[in-house]
Structure formats: C-alpha cells, structure tokens
Amino acid sequence: MRYQPLPAELYKKNRKKFVAHLKPSSIAVFNSNDIYPISADSTLPFQQHRDIFYLTGVDQEESILLLFPDAPEDKFKEILFLRETNDHIKVWEGEKLTKEKARELTGIQTIFWTHEFENIFKNLMRYAEHIYFNLNEHYRADNPVETREDRFIKWAKQQFPAHKYERSNPILQRLRSIKEPEEISQIQKACDITKAGFIHVLQVMKPGLFEYEIEAEFARAFLRRGSKGFAYTPIIASGANANVLHYIQNDQIIKDGDLVLIDVGAEYGNWSSDLTRTIPANGKFTPRQKEVYNAVLRVKNKAARLLKPGITIPEYHKIVGEYMTEELIKLKLLTLYEVKNQNPEWPAYKKYFMHGTSHHLGLDTHDYGILEEPIQPGMVLTVEPGIYIPEEGFGIRLEDDYVVQEEGEPFNLMADIPIEADEIEELMKK
Ligand code: GLY
Ligand code: MN
Ligand code: MN
C-alpha cells in the first residue's frame, strides 16, 4: 500500500456511529465500486467507493460489508466479504487482502469470501425487519452508471420484496461531514503534498510552457510522495481560460503577461485536498492584476472567519456575496446603481463570481454534508472566491481548506502555502 492506512480503531468508531442510527432489527450492506471497463480488456484504475472505505478502510474491489447489530449470533453483527485470494491471483495481480490482514486493517473479526455472500445474506435476512440500501444522494450527484450497489439493490428487492427498505445515505452524509482527528491528519497530508507541488511549480513556471507541462510537474510531485495523484481533474488555466470554470483541457501555451489559475489537489489514502492559486506566468503581477488579486484574497480571508458553528451554508453564501459586492464596486466592475437595482434571486456580483464559495471536503472532493443544516466543529470546508473578468482576459480564484473549530476561527490546513501576492513574486524570483 503506498499510503499509511489509518488505525482499525477509527473504522470501528465509524461503524459504531453508523449503527447507532439504525432502526432495531436492521441489516445494512455496502458494496465496493466496480472496476470500470474501457474496451477490450482495458480498465480504469480502481477507485474504492468512499462509504465502504469510511466504514472499513478496505481499498479493494469486490468487497462487501454487512452490518447487523441485532444479529442472532454476535459473530454476524459485522461481516466483511472479500474477493477470494489464491496462488493464481497472487501471481498475476499480487497479494490481495488475506483474512488475517483484513482483520488487522478493519477490526472486523468475521470474514468470508465474496462468493459466499448470497447464502449468508439470505440466511440472515430471515431475522431482519429492515434492509438499509445505500444510494448516492449527494446534492451534486448524477447517477448515469449502474453500480455494484445498484445491482445488489435490484437483486435484494427481488429476493426480499416484503422487507422494509431504508436509506443509509442520509446517515452517512451527516457522519462523514464531521471528521475525526485521524481523518483530518490524512487530509493534512494530502494538503502538504499539494503544497510541495505548488512550491515546485513556483520555481518552474514561465511563459512559453504548455499548461499540461505544469500539470505534469504536479503529477510528479504527488506520485513521488505516496499519493495516487490528483484528487480531481486539475485545472491549469492561463489567461482567459481561467474564465471557463471547468476548464480541464490544459492544452494551451502560457503567454507572457498571463495569470495562470491553478486548481489542483493531491489525494492521499483516498482523502482529498483542494487548492487554488493564481500566479503570474512571468513572476510579476500587473497593478490591475494585483488589485483584483488582493480583492479576492480579502474576500477569502473574511469569508473563512464566518465558518463558525451555527451558520448554514446558504446564510454564509449570502454574507460572502455582500463582501464580494463591496469589492466589485471598489474595482469599478459594478456600480452602486446596479447593486441597488439588482435582482435578489441573482445579485449583481454573480456576473463576476458565479459559483459557490465553499463545499465540504473529505473522502470526496465535493464531500458529503447537508448544506441547510448548521455547520459543526470538525467539518472541513473549502473557501474559494473568485473574480472572473472575460473583458480583461483573466480570472482569479484563491482556495484553501479549513477545519471548523469549537470556538474561534477555523483552522487553515493550507496556512503555509504561499498566497500573498508579494510572497508569490518573491518566490518566483528565485
Ligand atoms: N476543484 C474543484 C473545486 O474547487 O470545487
Ligand atoms: Mn478547487
Ligand atoms: Mn473546491
């Protein structure tokens, strides 16, 4: 394993928190992701489903977790099913988890092979009233592909039409949005790897490079530090490309005088980091670029201070919108008249700042969290305001990752990643 796994204690704790929310006499099942096919015998690299990972630490395909707190025998309260390993698999694919190793990793004592699941599940269902299925209910999710979980649900409903069906996902949305200290330390590692990549890029950035050459520098910096790579598709957007919010082509030449918007984060052990910096290709901001840059930076810093227990994300976004409006007036991008006559449903500032300021961060980059509920200590949120000015040929976004504290200001996991314009210029001189 290229990353240091978290201790089994954490996964035990996560399972304990999850089962505390189940109705009496309930079974909950969680499946791994499929390995997605390309064509012929090609596949995409495996990415574990974050929910089974959150509950077990198992980072392997064809694994299933079954939880049944009221099982008739103690040994069936928690069962892990793993793809059977044998000498043939060992030769072709290397070692898979043995039962012994899996016990150590997960803290689960009862382990069977995956092909034994159907029989055991059918047998245990005779003692259960409820079955908890885990659908993807994330507020941004689009579910165009049938997952292993979906196939399981279809099959289980055919087999057991008279059981009561329940939803695991709202429970996980709440649990996963609040991070344990061990989980935060894993996100911190991902942030530190991202930092190393960014510091390196400050040294190599120059006009004439292709955007993908900068992407390559990050990939190298991440891989050599035990990360599998990017936590999400990176954005290296020079000049006006920065005004395309989801620009991922990264195939243009960086020009002298361009700002380069870099939205890049490393993953570490399936935990994400999410950074944005915007830097001058030639090492020096123009006065106008710096003016807009500092406006974005002020909004970012003021917005972060709002991330205290009690506020909801919609309330927070409203206040950040007011901060941004003030800055856009100072930058002469908006007039007082426009602001006074704005449509409250689509305030004037959205012409230059059209996306949200924050999202939860964790095992998914846009992590679980119920946005309408007040934020709580232990939540990790990005803060990422931007000002995009197509008519001036550039866009600026700055993004750091913060942990909400019991009291006081949130803790910035990226506090030591250079962000002041002068510091960026200084570092690029070297
Ligand atoms: N890089 C994705 C985001 O900032 O939300
Ligand atoms: Mn980002
Ligand atoms: Mn983000």
Side-chain angles (χ1 to χ4, degrees):
M1 217 183 272
R2 61 171 86 178
Y3 60 89
Q4 189 61 41
L6 290 173
E9 285 312 310
L10 171 79
Y11 302 111
K12 284 190 199 166
K13 206 162 30 177
N14 288 350
R15 290 192 296 274
K16 197 169 163 197
K17 286 191 284 189
F18 176 79
V19 298
H21 288 84
L22 298 180
K23 294 183 176 169
S25 191
S26 293
I27 287 181
V29 174
F30 300 91
N31 282 271
S32 285
N33 274 332
D34 282 312
I35 297 180
Y36 286 95
I38 298 175
S39 56
D41 67 346
S42 314
T43 57
L44 295 177
F46 175 63
Q47 280 283 345
Q48 181 56 297
H49 193 291
R50 300 308 194 236
D51 290 332
I52 189 170
F53 186 77
Y54 172 80
L55 295 166
T56 64
V58 170
D59 203 351
Q60 189 170 291
E61 72 282 7
E62 295 177 34
S63 313
I64 306 172
L65 171 68
L66 186 154
L67 297 173
F68 187 7
D70 300 327
E73 288 182 62
D74 278 359
K75 66 176 181 192
F76 296 130
K77 285 179 191 286
E78 296 188 328
I79 312 175
L80 181 65
F81 297 87
L82 292 176
R83 184 175 166 194
E84 182 167 7
T85 185
N86 57 38
D87 288 343
H88 175 80
I89 289 172
K90 202 167 156 183
V91 169
W92 284 84
E93 298 182 38
E95 192 105 49
K96 295 279 163 189
L97 276 177
T98 60
K99 292 187 178 180
E100 209 34 63
K101 276 197 204 151
R103 282 188 191 104
E104 222 172 278
L105 175 73
T106 65
I108 297 171
Q109 296 309 313
T110 307
I111 303 194
F112 292 101
W113 301 128
T114 305
H115 61 78
E116 298 170 290
F117 174 79
E118 274 193 29
N119 268 345
I120 293 168
F121 174 73
K122 282 183 184 169
N123 190 32
L124 290 176
M125 279 292 271
R126 295 189 295 125
Y127 303 96
E129 288 275 321
H130 306 267
I131 167 83
Y132 279 71
F133 294 132
N134 189 32
L135 291 163
N136 183 354
E137 300 181 31
H138 188 271
Y139 62 101
R140 294 195 194 210
D142 187 13
N143 296 310
V145 172
E146 188 175 64
T147 61
R148 255 183 115 73
E149 194 73 45
D150 296 332
R151 295 199 299 279
F152 162 70
I153 293 170
K154 222 190 252 176
W155 171 83
K157 282 184 165 177
Q158 274 165 2
Q159 297 289 323
F160 297 99
H163 277 65
K164 297 190 186 95
Y165 304 138
E166 311 286 346
R167 294 150 64 215
S168 292
N169 206 253
I171 303 173
L172 285 164
Q173 293 262 355
R174 289 196 176 85
L175 296 182
R176 273 183 47 189
S177 68
I178 299 172
K179 277 72 179 173
E180 295 288 342
E182 301 92 315
E183 298 173 322
I184 292 171
S185 76
Q186 216 72 335
I187 301 175
Q188 181 72 72
K189 278 191 198 145
C191 291
D192 293 346
I193 295 172
T194 301
K195 174 189 168 181
F198 179 64
I199 298 285
H200 174 66
V201 159
L202 286 176
Q203 312 296 308
V204 299
M205 175 63 79
K206 60 178 187 207
L209 294 177
F210 278 97
E211 293 162 341
Y212 56 70
E213 291 181 84
I214 297 299
E215 180 177 334
E217 298 293 338
F218 277 106
R220 177 172 185 275
F222 293 176
L223 291 170
R224 63 201 287 264
R225 288 176 173 81
S227 160
K228 278 196 299 249
F230 297 104
Y232 52 89
T233 312
I235 298 172
I236 315 285
S238 60
N241 299 332
N243 297 317
V244 180
L245 294 180
H246 293 153
Y247 177 81
I248 50 171
Q249 291 82 354
N250 305 346
D251 61 356
Q252 297 299 302
I253 291 183
I254 298 167
K255 295 190 291 300
D256 197 13
D258 275 354
L259 287 181
V260 188
L261 186 154
I262 298 172
D263 186 344
V264 167
E267 74 82 56
Y268 182 77
N270 291 332
W271 292 88
S272 289
S273 63
D274 188 0
L275 174 85
T276 308
R277 291 291 183 267
T278 307
I279 64 174
N282 61 17
K284 191 122 185 68
F285 291 94
T286 66
R288 176 60 172 172
Q289 288 168 348
K290 198 178 268 192
E291 193 184 18
V292 178
Y293 187 96
N294 285 330
V296 176
L297 184 55
R298 279 192 294 273
V299 173
K300 189 204 69 108
N301 290 337
K302 279 169 71 179
R305 281 182 220 125
L306 297 170
L307 292 177
K308 293 185 180 161
I311 198 167
T312 65
I313 296 287
E315 287 162 357
Y316 160 81
H317 276 151
K318 194 160 176 292
I319 303 174
V320 179
E322 289 160 14
Y323 295 163
M324 185 55 93
T325 302
E326 216 176 284
E327 294 291 348
L328 291 171
I329 292 170
K330 280 196 272 179
L331 291 168
K332 303 211 170 10
L333 289 167
L334 291 183
T335 62
L336 276 172
Y337 178 82
E338 283 172 303
V339 173
K340 275 204 188 111
N341 293 290
Q342 70 189 2
N343 171 3
E345 297 297 313
W346 190 256
Y349 78 82
K350 293 216 181 245
K351 180 174 174 199
Y352 295 102
F353 173 40
M354 56 299 276
H355 57 77
T357 310
S358 292
H359 56 81
H360 289 268
L361 178 82
L363 285 169
D364 286 289
T365 302
H366 296 158
D367 207 30
Y368 283 175
I370 298 180
L371 301 187
E372 296 70 28
E373 296 183 1
I375 67 167
Q376 296 180 49
M379 288 185 170
V380 179
L381 292 149
T382 65
V383 179
E384 49 180 305
I387 296 179
Y388 308 93
I389 326 177
E391 56 273 29
E392 297 186 35
F394 69 90
I396 294 173
R397 176 165 67 254
L398 297 171
E399 174 174 27
D400 279 340
D401 305 337
Y402 291 85
V403 187
V404 179
Q405 305 292 299
E406 294 271 353
E407 279 178 38
E409 300 199 356
F411 180 78
N412 185 354
L413 297 166
M414 298 182 148
D416 60 354
I417 305 184
I419 195 164
E420 293 292 334
D422 295 344
E423 193 187 1
I424 299 274
E425 288 182 342
E426 203 48 47
L427 288 165
M428 291 183 80
K429 262 190 219 160
K430 288 181 190 154

